[in-house]
Amino acid sequence: MAEFKENGQTVWFTGHSLGGALAMLSGARMYFEAPNLVPHGIYTYGQPRTCDRMLAAAYDQALKGRTFRFVNNNDIVPQVPAEPAFHHVDAIRYIDASGKLHDRMPALGMLADKAKGATADLFAPASDGIRDHFIDHYVNALEKNLA
């Protein structure tokens, strides 16, 4: 890694679902084992919870401004495993039920947004958590927000 860094190259970690968890943990390990090799960015999509409070706090402090965890409305995977034992890192980009990208999960209207997503398919209301997890739903939402 040091050889690449000296040649002006950058290091990024990214992944979806379990790949997002591995990207987050790989970036954390890289930094905590060799602090002079800070990843330039860690972007995850639909990532499950991966750490305890202590690791999350250390990660947030060490990699502030370099990481983003994208969550698509009712995606079920970012909700597991259960809190309080497992946590997410702070930096989030939230995609609401209409596909609009937010810098944080909206405090007001959160329940209404969750309900809007859950009732999008009247014949399969429980399927929203699975449907929102597919990577193409993330890609489509991000493309819509470019315009």
PDB file of all heavy atoms in Angstrom, residues 4-43:
ATOM      1  N   PHE A   4       1.985   2.149  -3.516  1.00  0.00           N
ATOM      2  CA  PHE A   4       0.954   2.786  -4.337  1.00  0.00           C
ATOM      3  C   PHE A   4       0.729   4.231  -3.909  1.00  0.00           C
ATOM      4  O   PHE A   4       0.526   5.104  -4.731  1.00  0.00           O
ATOM      5  CB  PHE A   4      -0.360   2.014  -4.258  1.00  0.00           C
ATOM      6  CG  PHE A   4      -0.301   0.671  -4.917  1.00  0.00           C
ATOM      7  CD1 PHE A   4      -0.752  -0.455  -4.249  1.00  0.00           C
ATOM      8  CD2 PHE A   4       0.197   0.517  -6.197  1.00  0.00           C
ATOM      9  CE1 PHE A   4      -0.702  -1.699  -4.843  1.00  0.00           C
ATOM     10  CE2 PHE A   4       0.248  -0.723  -6.805  1.00  0.00           C
ATOM     11  CZ  PHE A   4      -0.207  -1.826  -6.120  1.00  0.00           C
ATOM     12  N   LYS A   5       0.734   4.467  -2.612  1.00  0.00           N
ATOM     13  CA  LYS A   5       0.489   5.806  -2.100  1.00  0.00           C
ATOM     14  C   LYS A   5       1.561   6.784  -2.583  1.00  0.00           C
ATOM     15  O   LYS A   5       1.267   7.925  -2.902  1.00  0.00           O
ATOM     16  CB  LYS A   5       0.444   5.771  -0.570  1.00  0.00           C
ATOM     17  CG  LYS A   5      -0.015   7.058   0.053  1.00  0.00           C
ATOM     18  CD  LYS A   5      -0.195   6.894   1.544  1.00  0.00           C
ATOM     19  CE  LYS A   5      -0.733   8.190   2.129  1.00  0.00           C
ATOM     20  NZ  LYS A   5      -0.952   8.103   3.539  1.00  0.00           N
ATOM     21  N   GLU A   6       2.801   6.332  -2.655  1.00  0.00           N
ATOM     22  CA  GLU A   6       3.889   7.192  -3.109  1.00  0.00           C
ATOM     23  C   GLU A   6       3.775   7.526  -4.593  1.00  0.00           C
ATOM     24  O   GLU A   6       4.328   8.508  -5.045  1.00  0.00           O
ATOM     25  CB  GLU A   6       5.235   6.537  -2.801  1.00  0.00           C
ATOM     26  CG  GLU A   6       5.545   6.524  -1.312  1.00  0.00           C
ATOM     27  CD  GLU A   6       6.808   5.757  -0.981  1.00  0.00           C
ATOM     28  OE1 GLU A   6       7.506   5.284  -1.902  1.00  0.00           O
ATOM     29  OE2 GLU A   6       7.098   5.622   0.218  1.00  0.00           O
ATOM     30  N   ASN A   7       3.060   6.728  -5.348  1.00  0.00           N
ATOM     31  CA  ASN A   7       2.864   6.982  -6.779  1.00  0.00           C
ATOM     32  C   ASN A   7       1.634   7.846  -7.045  1.00  0.00           C
ATOM     33  O   ASN A   7       1.182   7.948  -8.178  1.00  0.00           O
ATOM     34  CB  ASN A   7       2.748   5.664  -7.546  1.00  0.00           C
ATOM     35  CG  ASN A   7       4.066   4.934  -7.612  1.00  0.00           C
ATOM     36  OD1 ASN A   7       5.126   5.553  -7.611  1.00  0.00           O
ATOM     37  ND2 ASN A   7       4.012   3.615  -7.662  1.00  0.00           N
ATOM     38  N   GLY A   8       1.049   8.410  -5.993  1.00  0.00           N
ATOM     39  CA  GLY A   8      -0.096   9.296  -6.163  1.00  0.00           C
ATOM     40  C   GLY A   8      -1.427   8.582  -6.343  1.00  0.00           C
ATOM     41  O   GLY A   8      -2.422   9.212  -6.690  1.00  0.00           O
ATOM     42  N   GLN A   9      -1.463   7.282  -6.144  1.00  0.00           N
ATOM     43  CA  GLN A   9      -2.715   6.545  -6.273  1.00  0.00           C
ATOM     44  C   GLN A   9      -3.517   6.655  -4.982  1.00  0.00           C
ATOM     45  O   GLN A   9      -2.971   6.955  -3.923  1.00  0.00           O
ATOM     46  CB  GLN A   9      -2.432   5.090  -6.627  1.00  0.00           C
ATOM     47  CG  GLN A   9      -1.771   4.961  -7.992  1.00  0.00           C
ATOM     48  CD  GLN A   9      -1.301   3.549  -8.259  1.00  0.00           C
ATOM     49  OE1 GLN A   9      -0.831   2.872  -7.368  1.00  0.00           O
ATOM     50  NE2 GLN A   9      -1.430   3.120  -9.503  1.00  0.00           N
ATOM     51  N   THR A  10      -4.805   6.408  -5.088  1.00  0.00           N
ATOM     52  CA  THR A  10      -5.675   6.467  -3.923  1.00  0.00           C
ATOM     53  C   THR A  10      -6.250   5.092  -3.631  1.00  0.00           C
ATOM     54  O   THR A  10      -6.312   4.232  -4.515  1.00  0.00           O
ATOM     55  CB  THR A  10      -6.817   7.477  -4.136  1.00  0.00           C
ATOM     56  OG1 THR A  10      -7.587   7.073  -5.272  1.00  0.00           O
ATOM     57  CG2 THR A  10      -6.277   8.880  -4.351  1.00  0.00           C
ATOM     58  N   VAL A  11      -6.685   4.909  -2.395  1.00  0.00           N
ATOM     59  CA  VAL A  11      -7.258   3.631  -1.962  1.00  0.00           C
ATOM     60  C   VAL A  11      -8.692   3.870  -1.501  1.00  0.00           C
ATOM     61  O   VAL A  11      -8.944   4.719  -0.640  1.00  0.00           O
ATOM     62  CB  VAL A  11      -6.441   3.018  -0.797  1.00  0.00           C
ATOM     63  CG1 VAL A  11      -7.083   1.739  -0.309  1.00  0.00           C
ATOM     64  CG2 VAL A  11      -5.011   2.772  -1.230  1.00  0.00           C
ATOM     65  N   TRP A  12      -9.615   3.123  -2.090  1.00  0.00           N
ATOM     66  CA  TRP A  12     -11.036   3.223  -1.761  1.00  0.00           C
ATOM     67  C   TRP A  12     -11.560   1.835  -1.446  1.00  0.00           C
ATOM     68  O   TRP A  12     -11.176   0.865  -2.090  1.00  0.00           O
ATOM     69  CB  TRP A  12     -11.820   3.803  -2.942  1.00  0.00           C
ATOM     70  CG  TRP A  12     -11.426   5.200  -3.252  1.00  0.00           C
ATOM     71  CD1 TRP A  12     -10.318   5.606  -3.931  1.00  0.00           C
ATOM     72  CD2 TRP A  12     -12.118   6.377  -2.878  1.00  0.00           C
ATOM     73  NE1 TRP A  12     -10.278   6.965  -4.007  1.00  0.00           N
ATOM     74  CE2 TRP A  12     -11.377   7.471  -3.373  1.00  0.00           C
ATOM     75  CE3 TRP A  12     -13.291   6.614  -2.190  1.00  0.00           C
ATOM     76  CZ2 TRP A  12     -11.774   8.778  -3.188  1.00  0.00           C
ATOM     77  CZ3 TRP A  12     -13.693   7.926  -2.008  1.00  0.00           C
ATOM     78  CH2 TRP A  12     -12.945   8.990  -2.502  1.00  0.00           C
ATOM     79  N   PHE A  13     -12.483   1.765  -0.495  1.00  0.00           N
ATOM     80  CA  PHE A  13     -13.178   0.523  -0.188  1.00  0.00           C
ATOM     81  C   PHE A  13     -14.660   0.770  -0.430  1.00  0.00           C
ATOM     82  O   PHE A  13     -15.195   1.817  -0.053  1.00  0.00           O
ATOM     83  CB  PHE A  13     -12.982   0.125   1.284  1.00  0.00           C
ATOM     84  CG  PHE A  13     -11.586  -0.287   1.625  1.00  0.00           C
ATOM     85  CD1 PHE A  13     -10.689   0.623   2.153  1.00  0.00           C
ATOM     86  CD2 PHE A  13     -11.164  -1.595   1.425  1.00  0.00           C
ATOM     87  CE1 PHE A  13      -9.397   0.246   2.480  1.00  0.00           C
ATOM     88  CE2 PHE A  13      -9.866  -1.981   1.751  1.00  0.00           C
ATOM     89  CZ  PHE A  13      -8.987  -1.056   2.277  1.00  0.00           C
ATOM     90  N   THR A  14     -15.313  -0.190  -1.060  1.00  0.00           N
ATOM     91  CA  THR A  14     -16.752  -0.072  -1.275  1.00  0.00           C
ATOM     92  C   THR A  14     -17.359  -1.466  -1.328  1.00  0.00           C
ATOM     93  O   THR A  14     -16.672  -2.441  -1.610  1.00  0.00           O
ATOM     94  CB  THR A  14     -17.075   0.720  -2.563  1.00  0.00           C
ATOM     95  OG1 THR A  14     -18.487   0.964  -2.617  1.00  0.00           O
ATOM     96  CG2 THR A  14     -16.621  -0.011  -3.805  1.00  0.00           C
ATOM     97  N   GLY A  15     -18.642  -1.547  -1.035  1.00  0.00           N
ATOM     98  CA  GLY A  15     -19.314  -2.828  -1.099  1.00  0.00           C
ATOM     99  C   GLY A  15     -20.787  -2.696  -0.770  1.00  0.00           C
ATOM    100  O   GLY A  15     -21.243  -1.693  -0.212  1.00  0.00           O
ATOM    101  N   HIS A  16     -21.512  -3.732  -1.138  1.00  0.00           N
ATOM    102  CA  HIS A  16     -22.951  -3.803  -0.891  1.00  0.00           C
ATOM    103  C   HIS A  16     -23.230  -4.971   0.044  1.00  0.00           C
ATOM    104  O   HIS A  16     -22.639  -6.043  -0.113  1.00  0.00           O
ATOM    105  CB  HIS A  16     -23.684  -4.003  -2.227  1.00  0.00           C
ATOM    106  CG  HIS A  16     -25.138  -4.302  -2.075  1.00  0.00           C
ATOM    107  ND1 HIS A  16     -25.641  -5.561  -2.290  1.00  0.00           N
ATOM    108  CD2 HIS A  16     -26.186  -3.520  -1.720  1.00  0.00           C
ATOM    109  CE1 HIS A  16     -26.953  -5.536  -2.086  1.00  0.00           C
ATOM    110  NE2 HIS A  16     -27.304  -4.316  -1.737  1.00  0.00           N
ATOM    111  N   SER A  17     -24.101  -4.759   1.012  1.00  0.00           N
ATOM    112  CA  SER A  17     -24.527  -5.809   1.940  1.00  0.00           C
ATOM    113  C   SER A  17     -23.322  -6.330   2.728  1.00  0.00           C
ATOM    114  O   SER A  17     -22.603  -5.543   3.343  1.00  0.00           O
ATOM    115  CB  SER A  17     -25.245  -6.913   1.165  1.00  0.00           C
ATOM    116  OG  SER A  17     -25.984  -7.737   2.039  1.00  0.00           O
ATOM    117  N   LEU A  18     -23.070  -7.631   2.680  1.00  0.00           N
ATOM    118  CA  LEU A  18     -21.921  -8.188   3.382  1.00  0.00           C
ATOM    119  C   LEU A  18     -20.626  -7.585   2.840  1.00  0.00           C
ATOM    120  O   LEU A  18     -19.682  -7.343   3.591  1.00  0.00           O
ATOM    121  CB  LEU A  18     -21.894  -9.714   3.265  1.00  0.00           C
ATOM    122  CG  LEU A  18     -20.731 -10.418   3.956  1.00  0.00           C
ATOM    123  CD1 LEU A  18     -20.672 -10.079   5.435  1.00  0.00           C
ATOM    124  CD2 LEU A  18     -20.838 -11.930   3.759  1.00  0.00           C
ATOM    125  N   GLY A  19     -20.583  -7.298   1.544  1.00  0.00           N
ATOM    126  CA  GLY A  19     -19.420  -6.637   0.958  1.00  0.00           C
ATOM    127  C   GLY A  19     -19.202  -5.259   1.572  1.00  0.00           C
ATOM    128  O   GLY A  19     -18.062  -4.809   1.731  1.00  0.00           O
ATOM    129  N   GLY A  20     -20.283  -4.574   1.936  1.00  0.00           N
ATOM    130  CA  GLY A  20     -20.171  -3.283   2.613  1.00  0.00           C
ATOM    131  C   GLY A  20     -19.582  -3.439   4.007  1.00  0.00           C
ATOM    132  O   GLY A  20     -18.755  -2.637   4.439  1.00  0.00           O
ATOM    133  N   ALA A  21     -20.015  -4.476   4.697  1.00  0.00           N
ATOM    134  CA  ALA A  21     -19.463  -4.752   6.029  1.00  0.00           C
ATOM    135  C   ALA A  21     -17.975  -5.043   5.922  1.00  0.00           C
ATOM    136  O   ALA A  21     -17.172  -4.527   6.709  1.00  0.00           O
ATOM    137  CB  ALA A  21     -20.198  -5.923   6.671  1.00  0.00           C
ATOM    138  N   LEU A  22     -17.589  -5.832   4.937  1.00  0.00           N
ATOM    139  CA  LEU A  22     -16.176  -6.155   4.746  1.00  0.00           C
ATOM    140  C   LEU A  22     -15.373  -4.920   4.348  1.00  0.00           C
ATOM    141  O   LEU A  22     -14.234  -4.747   4.788  1.00  0.00           O
ATOM    142  CB  LEU A  22     -16.023  -7.266   3.708  1.00  0.00           C
ATOM    143  CG  LEU A  22     -16.594  -8.627   4.130  1.00  0.00           C
ATOM    144  CD1 LEU A  22     -16.557  -9.605   2.974  1.00  0.00           C
ATOM    145  CD2 LEU A  22     -15.869  -9.165   5.345  1.00  0.00           C
ATOM    146  N   ALA A  23     -15.957  -4.051   3.535  1.00  0.00           N
ATOM    147  CA  ALA A  23     -15.279  -2.810   3.150  1.00  0.00           C
ATOM    148  C   ALA A  23     -15.045  -1.927   4.373  1.00  0.00           C
ATOM    149  O   ALA A  23     -13.953  -1.393   4.569  1.00  0.00           O
ATOM    150  CB  ALA A  23     -16.106  -2.055   2.101  1.00  0.00           C
ATOM    151  N   MET A  24     -16.069  -1.790   5.212  1.00  0.00           N
ATOM    152  CA  MET A  24     -15.943  -0.972   6.415  1.00  0.00           C
ATOM    153  C   MET A  24     -14.872  -1.537   7.332  1.00  0.00           C
ATOM    154  O   MET A  24     -14.000  -0.823   7.819  1.00  0.00           O
ATOM    155  CB  MET A  24     -17.295  -0.910   7.131  1.00  0.00           C
ATOM    156  CG  MET A  24     -17.308  -0.106   8.404  1.00  0.00           C
ATOM    157  SD  MET A  24     -17.103  -1.212   9.813  1.00  0.00           S
ATOM    158  CE  MET A  24     -16.540  -0.066  11.046  1.00  0.00           C
ATOM    159  N   LEU A  25     -14.919  -2.840   7.579  1.00  0.00           N
ATOM    160  CA  LEU A  25     -13.956  -3.471   8.477  1.00  0.00           C
ATOM    161  C   LEU A  25     -12.540  -3.468   7.893  1.00  0.00           C
ATOM    162  O   LEU A  25     -11.564  -3.280   8.623  1.00  0.00           O
ATOM    163  CB  LEU A  25     -14.405  -4.891   8.813  1.00  0.00           C
ATOM    164  CG  LEU A  25     -15.681  -4.968   9.661  1.00  0.00           C
ATOM    165  CD1 LEU A  25     -16.181  -6.402   9.748  1.00  0.00           C
ATOM    166  CD2 LEU A  25     -15.465  -4.374  11.045  1.00  0.00           C
ATOM    167  N   SER A  26     -12.416  -3.624   6.574  1.00  0.00           N
ATOM    168  CA  SER A  26     -11.097  -3.576   5.930  1.00  0.00           C
ATOM    169  C   SER A  26     -10.484  -2.185   6.035  1.00  0.00           C
ATOM    170  O   SER A  26      -9.291  -2.042   6.320  1.00  0.00           O
ATOM    171  CB  SER A  26     -11.197  -3.970   4.457  1.00  0.00           C
ATOM    172  OG  SER A  26     -11.620  -5.302   4.338  1.00  0.00           O
ATOM    173  N   GLY A  27     -11.297  -1.163   5.803  1.00  0.00           N
ATOM    174  CA  GLY A  27     -10.808   0.206   5.929  1.00  0.00           C
ATOM    175  C   GLY A  27     -10.393   0.528   7.355  1.00  0.00           C
ATOM    176  O   GLY A  27      -9.368   1.175   7.583  1.00  0.00           O
ATOM    177  N   ALA A  28     -11.173   0.044   8.323  1.00  0.00           N
ATOM    178  CA  ALA A  28     -10.834   0.260   9.728  1.00  0.00           C
ATOM    179  C   ALA A  28      -9.539  -0.457  10.076  1.00  0.00           C
ATOM    180  O   ALA A  28      -8.648   0.119  10.713  1.00  0.00           O
ATOM    181  CB  ALA A  28     -11.975  -0.236  10.624  1.00  0.00           C
ATOM    182  N   ARG A  29      -9.424  -1.684   9.639  1.00  0.00           N
ATOM    183  CA  ARG A  29      -8.206  -2.449   9.945  1.00  0.00           C
ATOM    184  C   ARG A  29      -6.978  -1.790   9.316  1.00  0.00           C
ATOM    185  O   ARG A  29      -5.923  -1.686   9.941  1.00  0.00           O
ATOM    186  CB  ARG A  29      -8.352  -3.879   9.448  1.00  0.00           C
ATOM    187  CG  ARG A  29      -7.151  -4.725   9.784  1.00  0.00           C
ATOM    188  CD  ARG A  29      -7.335  -6.160   9.413  1.00  0.00           C
ATOM    189  NE  ARG A  29      -6.152  -6.909   9.799  1.00  0.00           N
ATOM    190  CZ  ARG A  29      -6.001  -8.177   9.598  1.00  0.00           C
ATOM    191  NH1 ARG A  29      -6.972  -8.882   9.042  1.00  0.00           N
ATOM    192  NH2 ARG A  29      -4.900  -8.781   9.960  1.00  0.00           N
ATOM    193  N   MET A  30      -7.137  -1.340   8.077  1.00  0.00           N
ATOM    194  CA  MET A  30      -6.019  -0.677   7.406  1.00  0.00           C
ATOM    195  C   MET A  30      -5.537   0.521   8.223  1.00  0.00           C
ATOM    196  O   MET A  30      -4.346   0.680   8.475  1.00  0.00           O
ATOM    197  CB  MET A  30      -6.444  -0.224   6.011  1.00  0.00           C
ATOM    198  CG  MET A  30      -5.388   0.500   5.245  1.00  0.00           C
ATOM    199  SD  MET A  30      -6.106   1.038   3.673  1.00  0.00           S
ATOM    200  CE  MET A  30      -4.700   1.754   2.913  1.00  0.00           C
ATOM    201  N   TYR A  31      -6.467   1.353   8.645  1.00  0.00           N
ATOM    202  CA  TYR A  31      -6.098   2.542   9.399  1.00  0.00           C
ATOM    203  C   TYR A  31      -5.512   2.188  10.773  1.00  0.00           C
ATOM    204  O   TYR A  31      -4.473   2.710  11.162  1.00  0.00           O
ATOM    205  CB  TYR A  31      -7.280   3.491   9.586  1.00  0.00           C
ATOM    206  CG  TYR A  31      -6.925   4.612  10.520  1.00  0.00           C
ATOM    207  CD1 TYR A  31      -6.145   5.672  10.077  1.00  0.00           C
ATOM    208  CD2 TYR A  31      -7.299   4.577  11.854  1.00  0.00           C
ATOM    209  CE1 TYR A  31      -5.760   6.690  10.941  1.00  0.00           C
ATOM    210  CE2 TYR A  31      -6.918   5.583  12.722  1.00  0.00           C
ATOM    211  CZ  TYR A  31      -6.156   6.633  12.269  1.00  0.00           C
ATOM    212  OH  TYR A  31      -5.766   7.623  13.121  1.00  0.00           O
ATOM    213  N   PHE A  32      -6.173   1.312  11.510  1.00  0.00           N
ATOM    214  CA  PHE A  32      -5.740   1.036  12.878  1.00  0.00           C
ATOM    215  C   PHE A  32      -4.433   0.242  12.943  1.00  0.00           C
ATOM    216  O   PHE A  32      -3.722   0.312  13.934  1.00  0.00           O
ATOM    217  CB  PHE A  32      -6.845   0.349  13.674  1.00  0.00           C
ATOM    218  CG  PHE A  32      -8.022   1.267  13.931  1.00  0.00           C
ATOM    219  CD1 PHE A  32      -9.282   0.949  13.477  1.00  0.00           C
ATOM    220  CD2 PHE A  32      -7.832   2.462  14.608  1.00  0.00           C
ATOM    221  CE1 PHE A  32     -10.352   1.811  13.699  1.00  0.00           C
ATOM    222  CE2 PHE A  32      -8.897   3.334  14.839  1.00  0.00           C
ATOM    223  CZ  PHE A  32     -10.163   3.006  14.377  1.00  0.00           C
ATOM    224  N   GLU A  33      -4.106  -0.481  11.883  1.00  0.00           N
ATOM    225  CA  GLU A  33      -2.827  -1.200  11.862  1.00  0.00           C
ATOM    226  C   GLU A  33      -1.692  -0.346  11.311  1.00  0.00           C
ATOM    227  O   GLU A  33      -0.540  -0.564  11.642  1.00  0.00           O
ATOM    228  CB  GLU A  33      -2.950  -2.500  11.058  1.00  0.00           C
ATOM    229  CG  GLU A  33      -3.747  -3.552  11.798  1.00  0.00           C
ATOM    230  CD  GLU A  33      -3.753  -4.898  11.094  1.00  0.00           C
ATOM    231  OE1 GLU A  33      -3.124  -5.033  10.028  1.00  0.00           O
ATOM    232  OE2 GLU A  33      -4.403  -5.804  11.621  1.00  0.00           O
ATOM    233  N   ALA A  34      -2.022   0.594  10.440  1.00  0.00           N
ATOM    234  CA  ALA A  34      -0.993   1.460   9.850  1.00  0.00           C
ATOM    235  C   ALA A  34      -1.596   2.845   9.638  1.00  0.00           C
ATOM    236  O   ALA A  34      -2.033   3.175   8.530  1.00  0.00           O
ATOM    237  CB  ALA A  34      -0.497   0.874   8.534  1.00  0.00           C
ATOM    238  N   PRO A  35      -1.654   3.681  10.684  1.00  0.00           N
ATOM    239  CA  PRO A  35      -2.328   4.986  10.594  1.00  0.00           C
ATOM    240  C   PRO A  35      -1.821   5.913   9.495  1.00  0.00           C
ATOM    241  O   PRO A  35      -2.521   6.834   9.108  1.00  0.00           O
ATOM    242  CB  PRO A  35      -2.081   5.600  11.977  1.00  0.00           C
ATOM    243  CG  PRO A  35      -1.827   4.447  12.868  1.00  0.00           C
ATOM    244  CD  PRO A  35      -1.155   3.405  12.018  1.00  0.00           C
ATOM    245  N   ASN A  36      -0.645   5.667   8.970  1.00  0.00           N
ATOM    246  CA  ASN A  36      -0.154   6.493   7.861  1.00  0.00           C
ATOM    247  C   ASN A  36      -0.754   6.057   6.525  1.00  0.00           C
ATOM    248  O   ASN A  36      -0.538   6.702   5.511  1.00  0.00           O
ATOM    249  CB  ASN A  36       1.374   6.463   7.796  1.00  0.00           C
ATOM    250  CG  ASN A  36       1.914   5.059   7.570  1.00  0.00           C
ATOM    251  OD1 ASN A  36       1.316   4.078   8.017  1.00  0.00           O
ATOM    252  ND2 ASN A  36       3.047   4.954   6.896  1.00  0.00           N
ATOM    253  N   LEU A  37      -1.513   4.973   6.501  1.00  0.00           N
ATOM    254  CA  LEU A  37      -2.165   4.492   5.276  1.00  0.00           C
ATOM    255  C   LEU A  37      -3.681   4.643   5.382  1.00  0.00           C
ATOM    256  O   LEU A  37      -4.434   3.683   5.333  1.00  0.00           O
ATOM    257  CB  LEU A  37      -1.802   3.024   5.030  1.00  0.00           C
ATOM    258  CG  LEU A  37      -0.337   2.741   4.772  1.00  0.00           C
ATOM    259  CD1 LEU A  37      -0.104   1.241   4.641  1.00  0.00           C
ATOM    260  CD2 LEU A  37       0.150   3.461   3.531  1.00  0.00           C
ATOM    261  N   VAL A  38      -4.132   5.861   5.520  1.00  0.00           N
ATOM    262  CA  VAL A  38      -5.564   6.134   5.660  1.00  0.00           C
ATOM    263  C   VAL A  38      -6.254   5.941   4.313  1.00  0.00           C
ATOM    264  O   VAL A  38      -5.822   6.520   3.309  1.00  0.00           O
ATOM    265  CB  VAL A  38      -5.797   7.577   6.158  1.00  0.00           C
ATOM    266  CG1 VAL A  38      -7.276   7.862   6.316  1.00  0.00           C
ATOM    267  CG2 VAL A  38      -5.061   7.814   7.463  1.00  0.00           C
ATOM    268  N   PRO A  39      -7.332   5.139   4.261  1.00  0.00           N
ATOM    269  CA  PRO A  39      -8.074   5.026   3.000  1.00  0.00           C
ATOM    270  C   PRO A  39      -8.665   6.383   2.607  1.00  0.00           C
ATOM    271  O   PRO A  39      -9.038   7.168   3.463  1.00  0.00           O
ATOM    272  CB  PRO A  39      -9.192   4.029   3.308  1.00  0.00           C
ATOM    273  CG  PRO A  39      -8.991   3.558   4.688  1.00  0.00           C
ATOM    274  CD  PRO A  39      -7.913   4.355   5.327  1.00  0.00           C
ATOM    275  N   HIS A  40      -8.736   6.649   1.313  1.00  0.00           N
ATOM    276  CA  HIS A  40      -9.283   7.917   0.835  1.00  0.00           C
ATOM    277  C   HIS A  40     -10.798   7.954   0.948  1.00  0.00           C
ATOM    278  O   HIS A  40     -11.388   9.020   1.008  1.00  0.00           O
ATOM    279  CB  HIS A  40      -8.836   8.175  -0.598  1.00  0.00           C
ATOM    280  CG  HIS A  40      -7.381   8.467  -0.679  1.00  0.00           C
ATOM    281  ND1 HIS A  40      -6.422   7.475  -0.683  1.00  0.00           N
ATOM    282  CD2 HIS A  40      -6.717   9.633  -0.717  1.00  0.00           C
ATOM    283  CE1 HIS A  40      -5.229   8.025  -0.728  1.00  0.00           C
ATOM    284  NE2 HIS A  40      -5.376   9.339  -0.761  1.00  0.00           N
ATOM    285  N   GLY A  41     -11.431   6.791   0.946  1.00  0.00           N
ATOM    286  CA  GLY A  41     -12.872   6.740   1.090  1.00  0.00           C
ATOM    287  C   GLY A  41     -13.369   5.334   1.329  1.00  0.00           C
ATOM    288  O   GLY A  41     -12.758   4.363   0.882  1.00  0.00           O
ATOM    289  N   ILE A  42     -14.471   5.256   2.066  1.00  0.00           N
ATOM    290  CA  ILE A  42     -15.154   3.977   2.304  1.00  0.00           C
ATOM    291  C   ILE A  42     -16.637   4.240   2.096  1.00  0.00           C
ATOM    292  O   ILE A  42     -17.251   4.979   2.857  1.00  0.00           O
ATOM    293  CB  ILE A  42     -14.887   3.441   3.730  1.00  0.00           C
ATOM    294  CG1 ILE A  42     -13.390   3.289   3.978  1.00  0.00           C
ATOM    295  CG2 ILE A  42     -15.635   2.122   3.936  1.00  0.00           C
ATOM    296  CD1 ILE A  42     -13.026   2.987   5.417  1.00  0.00           C
ATOM    297  N   TYR A  43     -17.187   3.675   1.029  1.00  0.00           N
ATOM    298  CA  TYR A  43     -18.598   3.860   0.692  1.00  0.00           C
ATOM    299  C   TYR A  43     -19.280   2.501   0.750  1.00  0.00           C
ATOM    300  O   TYR A  43     -18.879   1.580   0.040  1.00  0.00           O
ATOM    301  CB  TYR A  43     -18.751   4.434  -0.720  1.00  0.00           C
ATOM    302  CG  TYR A  43     -18.369   5.888  -0.864  1.00  0.00           C
ATOM    303  CD1 TYR A  43     -17.382   6.479  -0.069  1.00  0.00           C
ATOM    304  CD2 TYR A  43     -18.991   6.685  -1.802  1.00  0.00           C
ATOM    305  CE1 TYR A  43     -17.039   7.809  -0.207  1.00  0.00           C
ATOM    306  CE2 TYR A  43     -18.642   8.026  -1.957  1.00  0.00           C
ATOM    307  CZ  TYR A  43     -17.670   8.575  -1.155  1.00  0.00           C
ATOM    308  OH  TYR A  43     -17.335   9.896  -1.298  1.00  0.00           O
TER     309      TYR A  43
END
